[in-house]
Amino acid sequence: MNPDASTIAAGAPIEVDLSPIAEGQDVKVFWRGKPIYISHRTKKQIDEARAVNVASLPDPQSDEARVKSGHEQWLVVIGICTHLGCIPIAHEGSYDGFFCPCHGSQYDSSGRIRQGPAPANLPVPPYQFVSDTKIQIG
Amino acid sequence: MSGPSDYQPSNPALQWIERRLPIFGLIHSSFVAYPTPRNLNYWWTFGAILSFMLGMQILTGVILAMHYTPNADLAFKSVELIVRDVNYGWLLRNMHAVGASMFFVAVYVHMFRGLYYGSYKEPREVLWILGVIIYLLMMATGFMGYVLPWGQMSFWGATVITNLFSAIPYIGESIVTLLWGGYAVGNPTLNRFFSLHYLLPFVIAGVVVLHVWALHVAGQNNPDGVEPKTEKDTVPFTPHATIKDMFGVACFMLLYAWFIFYMPNYLGDADNYIPANPGVTPPHIVPEWYYLPFYAILRSIPNKLAGVIAMFGAIIILAFLPWLDSARTRSSKYRPLAKQFFWIFVVVCILLGYLGAQPPEGIYVVAGRVLTVCYFAYFLIVLPLLARIEKPRPVPNSISDAVLAKTGSRSTPMVSTAIALALAGSLFAGSIDSAKASEGSDTPPANKWSFSGPFGKFDRGALQRGLKVYKEVCASCHGLSYVAFRNLAEPGGPGYSVAQAAAFASDYKVKDGPNDAGDMFERPGRPADYFPSPFPNEQAARAANGGAAPPDLSLITKARSYKRGFPWFIFDFFTQYQEQGPDYVAAVLQGFEDKAPEGVTIPAGSYYNKYFPGHAIKMPKPLSDGQVTYDDGSPTTVAQYSKDVTTFLMWTAEPHMEARKRLGFQVFVFLIIFAGLMYFTKKKVWAASH
């Protein structure tokens, strides 16, 4: 009952062009049926994400570990709440990040859980920069 | 099912079979001669009611499966086509959907009855555990059935529930992938849920056979909780129990029919009339009502794994009940303390159910935690403790003694119940206040609709005018893709003739093809065609309307609602108030105001609407006075347009509503006569035994 061959084939890596995404905006793309948020973060959002005391977080992880170095403005996360799988809304909640309407979990501008029932940060999907304005997810 | 029978059929053909397969003896000893305690009350008819409901669900389900398409792209539409086009499809679907709820109503009564009268105690432990297994199977079946219509609540309910398994350490993620058959809930998930939803009812039927077998070995419990000793204590199953069960089933069918014919969507969620969309989560994900107490327990615990364990634990703990409650007296009738705690427990369960439907914030979270503790305390502290400290009243020597003594005493009023109910009431009152405060939009005013109530019919004039408003105004942005031109000439609709509907259709250009040259071409519409949509796809609709796709209007009056809140949803059951959707649609059409009030900021490209949730709507004010000309002299005002087009959209959402209410009346007349006949027959049969 595991995924069949065609489902796995359809889950192959995808490429996303980042050039049309302005600073402060984000896009949602689907990969393997999951929504992936690609956020072009502002300076303020990056600073906020890095100013936090990592040890005080429910799921401690530094912002540096969640983005690719040299591309700090880009945050790529799977937009599925780690609580029960709803899709959080971007640019909402009190941490300049994501807010899940189902059970009230709040994520910061690095996609880390800050408040609510979710146990973990929004996962970062496997991706790499093909060029400065293009990423490959998967 | 209770040992070899001495029954011998008199017919030689039946004797021939009986010698080779003693099936008639089995039936005779199980359902005819079987001795049943003579003091059983009506709470004992729920076993028969449950068997009836299981049969009903399997029967309607098998026929529905003949018309249903388990494919993520087609499932939603196929359910709509069942309701609209299959002969009596609306009846089948309502019977099946409402039937699931009624099945759970009956099973909860049945379980609480077992709890109150101690039906789980020695020697009925296995009987009780088999019941808990049936209940678990029912929950799984009900959940998977709710996924099949593939609406928004189906999809997101499936996502939330399957994600519960991801809380299991180490292997959780792979279990979830196994359930999905992919990387997210999708077509493979729908396919396997359909397969299992078809399989599990037969597994339930199998366990029910074991349940009845175990029942007939141990014998039925009874309200006094003493085992039958002599023949005076029992009566034969047929005709006594049979006729009493028939009367019980007939009364239950009255309730069932009330929902089927008059309020089929009362127990459902409006969001499930919106097709599943993996990119948008509904603001409140709420499971079906019968899971709500467990959902409340899940949410009241802040840790994910602990929440899931508590939720499943709340069900599994039932299986250990025979050993948690070690009191020797079975029936709570003779246990003054256990009786009071039982009623408090019932109230706790109902309140948990109420909380499960509320957003997880503020007072609801606190109340949920308190009640979760109460729920578990009942099983883990109260019952074991009562077994040790409670002094039960003396039980009667035999069932016939109890029956004879019954004429004198009446049960005392239960003070604790009153206290518990008052407590519940004040909690409700408190929660409404907080709910009102957090509500963002105004409640739409209630209108007087021609189609409301048990005898409601569509106003033909309003339907025809509403169609005109739709065609001249709404149709430029909104589709009506489930409605065909032929529907305009069908009974219960706007009342056009077949020729008028054909002429109406021919005004439209419909894309057809490919022709012999392989090209697509346009031709005039035919009655069998559906209303063409204004945009070729959702993306085009989105791009042309500033990012917000105008929704299809076929189901809009059923897909929109507003929260009625306590206590209105209880009154609605009696008044058959079903018009939240039409009230909301009419209110939104009239709720536009040129200037937003102080303190409300409306983003550029949006408009202020008093009744739209959040107040910022992307649709500009669609109607203005005098915009559409009416031939019949009706006032050409926005209020009249809104009312007419909403009436029309109610018809598009439910084209068979008039047939539903008409048949409902006939069914009620029949059921009331039938139940009356059963009652008097029962009285006659039981005359000698009371």
Side-chain angles (χ1 to χ4, degrees):
Chain A
M1 298 222 302
N2 262 323
D4 63 17
S6 72
T7 310
I8 293 168
I14 54 164
E15 285 194 350
V16 183
D17 182 14
L18 303 178
S19 48
I21 311 168
E23 190 173 289
Q25 283 196 332
D26 51 333
V27 293
K28 191 162 68 174
V29 296
F30 276 86
W31 174 66
R32 293 190 163 181
K34 291 174 178 163
I36 311 274
Y37 277 110
I38 304 172
S39 306
H40 193 165
R41 302 190 291 177
T42 59
K43 184 90 180 48
K44 177 169 163 276
Q45 282 180 307
I46 300 171
D47 290 344
E48 275 174 359
R50 306 213 155 168
V52 187
N53 174 13
V54 172
S56 70
L57 296 172
D59 183 9
Q61 210 177 8
S62 70
D63 184 57
E64 285 82 355
R66 295 175 56 80
V67 295
K68 305 279 181 207
S69 65
H71 301 284
E72 285 82 8
Q73 71 274 38
W74 295 104
L75 175 74
V76 182
V77 288
I78 298 179
I80 292 182
C81 182
T82 52
H83 182 224
L84 292 172
C86 301
I87 298 181
I89 303 163
H91 298 300
E92 273 198 30
S94 3
Y95 298 94
D96 234 356
F98 305 87
F99 171 76
C100 179
C102 293
H103 303 98
S105 294
Q106 302 200 20
Y107 300 88
D108 65 10
S109 53
S110 185
R112 292 172 299 194
I113 180 66
R114 297 294 284 272
Q115 198 184 320
N121 302 333
L122 292 178
V124 177
Y127 74 99
Q128 70 246 8
F129 278 84
V130 186
S131 71
D132 267 355
T133 58
K134 195 175 253 184
I135 58 168
Q136 187 192 47
I137 300 174
Chain B
M1 291 187 194
S2 49
S5 166
D6 51 4
Y7 173 75
Q8 268 305 321
S10 48
N11 182 310
L14 297 187
Q15 274 172 6
W16 186 89
I17 297 172
E18 185 69 11
R19 261 207 313 284
R20 286 151 183 86
L21 177 74
I23 187 160
F24 301 109
L26 180 74
I27 292 170
H28 186 268
S29 62
S30 305
F31 300 108
V32 181
Y34 178 72
T36 166
R38 58 186 277 198
N39 59 340
L40 296 188
N41 55 31
Y42 277 106
W43 300 116
W44 261 265
T45 59
F46 278 84
I49 290 169
L50 283 164
S51 314
F52 167 76
M53 286 314 305
L54 178 63
M56 217 58 180
Q57 289 301 87
I58 291 180
L59 187 71
T60 51
V62 166
I63 302 172
L64 282 172
M66 295 173 188
H67 300 283
Y68 171 76
T69 316
N71 178 298
D73 297 326
L74 305 170
F76 187 87
K77 187 162 189 184
S78 81
V79 171
E80 270 312 305
L81 293 184
I82 288 173
V83 171
R84 285 157 196 270
D85 289 344
V86 173
N87 296 318
Y88 289 99
W90 59 268
L91 178 61
L92 285 171
R93 201 230 166 163
N94 287 355
M95 281 171 79
H96 198 71
V98 173
S101 280
M102 290 297 111
F103 204 163
F104 275 96
V105 168
V107 91
Y108 283 132
V109 173
H110 194 64
M111 287 162 75
F112 277 124
R113 190 268 288 151
L115 202 57
Y116 185 82
Y117 293 112
S119 300
Y120 46 85
K121 288 175 196 268
E122 198 274 331
R124 299 188 179 83
E125 296 94 331
V126 171
L127 173 63
W128 173 261
I129 290 168
L130 284 168
V132 175
I133 292 171
I134 294 173
Y135 176 57
L136 275 172
L137 286 169
M138 276 176 66
M139 291 184 103
T141 312
F143 159 64
M144 288 193 259
Y146 193 59
V147 174
L148 301 184
W150 211 239
Q152 271 291 67
M153 245 349 133
S154 301
F155 183 90
W156 289 100
T159 303
V160 168
I161 303 293
T162 49
N163 263 309
L164 292 178
F165 293 94
S166 71
I168 303 168
Y170 307 115
I171 53 165
E173 293 296 333
S174 26
I175 291 180
V176 174
T177 308
L178 209 65
L179 287 171
W180 288 341
Y183 304 109
V185 174
N187 193 49
T189 323
L190 178 61
N191 272 305
R192 59 195 56 189
F193 278 17
F194 177 59
S195 167
L196 292 174
H197 183 71
Y198 205 106
L199 168 72
L200 286 186
F202 298 99
V203 179
I204 293 179
V207 185
V208 165
V209 169
L210 295 180
H211 190 67
V212 174
W213 185 12
L215 173 75
H216 284 216
V217 170
Q220 282 166 292
N221 186 27
N222 59 74
D224 292 293
V226 288
E227 297 293 337
K229 290 183 181 115
T230 60
E231 248 178 45
K232 277 197 299 184
D233 293 342
T234 60
V235 286
F237 192 88
T238 301
H240 294 79
T242 323
I243 201 75
K244 196 169 174 177
D245 286 346
M246 293 264 278
F247 175 59
V249 170
C251 290
F252 192 77
M253 278 173 84
L254 280 167
L255 176 70
Y256 186 19
W258 183 264
F259 283 112
I260 294 174
F261 293 105
Y262 295 124
M263 32 202 350
N265 297 312
Y266 178 78
L267 297 164
D269 198 296
D271 275 332
N272 226 25
Y273 281 106
I274 304 170
N277 183 348
V280 180
T281 318
H284 294 301
I285 296 186
V286 180
E288 288 287 80
W289 69 267
Y290 33 86
Y291 305 124
L292 286 175
F294 303 105
Y295 194 59
I297 290 175
L298 167 78
R299 294 195 308 185
S300 68
I301 293 175
N303 178 291
K304 180 175 170 179
L305 179 59
V308 173
I309 290 173
M311 186 184 81
F312 283 109
I315 305 168
I316 301 300
I317 201 166
L318 290 170
F320 295 95
L321 192 55
W323 296 278
L324 289 171
D325 175 15
S326 54
R328 296 179 59 84
T329 310
R330 282 206 192 96
S331 171
S332 295
K333 213 169 148 183
Y334 302 102
R335 299 180 61 190
L337 288 174
K339 185 195 276 180
Q340 298 189 17
F341 279 105
F342 168 82
W343 286 108
I344 293 172
F345 178 69
V346 172
V347 173
V348 165
C349 291
I350 292 171
L351 286 181
L352 275 173
Y354 177 76
L355 289 175
Q358 305 307 316
E361 52 200 25
I363 182 174
Y364 298 129
V365 178
V366 182
R369 288 186 186 150
V370 172
L371 290 169
T372 301
V373 171
C374 292
Y375 181 95
F376 284 103
Y378 179 72
F379 291 106
L380 296 176
I381 301 171
V382 174
L383 286 180
L385 200 66
L386 281 184
R388 284 166 184 81
I389 61 165
E390 187 182 33
K391 256 184 84 77
R393 304 206 335 256
V395 295
N397 271 329
S398 70
I399 291 175
S400 41
D401 281 3
V403 174
L404 291 174
K406 197 180 149 193
T407 37
S409 71
R410 275 269 151 260
S411 58
T412 46
M414 281 159 283
V415 184
S416 58
T417 319
I419 295 171
L421 283 175
L423 208 88
S426 60
L427 195 103
F428 272 143
S431 57
I432 307 158
D433 286 345
S434 63
K436 278 227 176 92
S438 68
E439 208 72 44
S441 49
D442 293 273
T443 306
N447 291 281
K448 214 177 137 37
W449 298 107
S450 59
F451 48 82
S452 65
F455 303 104
K457 281 188 163 46
F458 290 114
D459 174 352
R460 306 270 167 253
L463 287 182
Q464 298 190 355
R465 292 193 299 271
L467 172 61
K468 196 158 192 270
V469 174
Y470 168 75
K471 190 184 172 188
E472 293 181 15
V473 184
C474 320
S476 55
C477 300
H478 293 278
L480 204 59
S481 52
Y482 296 118
V483 183
F485 297 118
R486 65 186 156 85
N487 296 137
L488 297 172
E490 280 167 9
Y496 288 112
S497 67
V498 175
Q500 278 171 314
F504 188 90
S506 62
D507 286 348
Y508 284 84
K509 289 271 169 282
V510 174
K511 202 169 188 184
D512 201 350
N515 61 13
D516 290 346
D519 300 322
M520 303 301 281
F521 61 93
E522 283 199 335
R523 59 164 175 78
R526 299 176 192 140
D529 290 322
Y530 288 81
F531 275 79
S533 293
F535 300 103
N537 52 53
E538 202 199 310
Q539 282 73 7
R542 203 172 279 286
N545 288 283
D552 191 275
L553 294 184
S554 317
L555 284 163
I556 202 81
T557 51
K558 287 207 283 188
R560 295 290 182 274
S561 186
Y562 62 90
K563 229 178 117 158
R564 290 287 281 169
F566 181 85
W568 292 107
F569 72 88
I570 294 175
F571 299 151
D572 290 348
F573 169 77
F574 298 101
T575 58
Q576 298 186 352
Y577 177 78
Q578 285 264 283
E579 283 76 37
Q580 291 104 310
D583 280 344
Y584 170 80
V585 170
V588 163
L589 288 173
Q590 300 172 65
F592 286 89
E593 277 165 29
D594 294 337
K595 255 179 66 139
E598 286 292 313
V600 181
T601 46
I602 298 299
S606 295
Y607 303 88
Y608 177 80
N609 190 305
K610 200 172 161 200
Y611 299 107
F612 192 72
H615 297 306
I617 190 168
K618 282 273 184 183
M619 172 170 76
K621 187 171 189 283
L623 295 164
S624 49
D625 288 344
Q627 189 178 3
V628 181
T629 48
Y630 279 161
D631 308 327
D632 61 356
S634 300
T636 53
T637 58
V638 171
Q640 186 65 32
Y641 292 151
S642 311
K643 202 161 179 196
D644 291 343
V645 82
T646 308
T647 306
F648 172 69
L649 292 176
M650 187 66 221
W651 169 73
T652 63
E654 192 148 8
H656 296 298
M657 190 209 72
E658 290 189 8
R660 163 162 74 82
K661 291 184 173 173
R662 192 171 52 239
L663 186 62
F665 180 71
Q666 294 163 356
V667 167
F668 261 89
V669 169
F670 169 79
L671 279 180
I672 288 169
I673 295 173
F674 180 71
L677 285 175
M678 285 302 123
Y679 176 73
F680 289 113
T681 317
K682 184 248 156 195
K683 259 187 104 120
K684 185 99 185 135
V685 167
W686 281 79
S689 314
H690 273 316

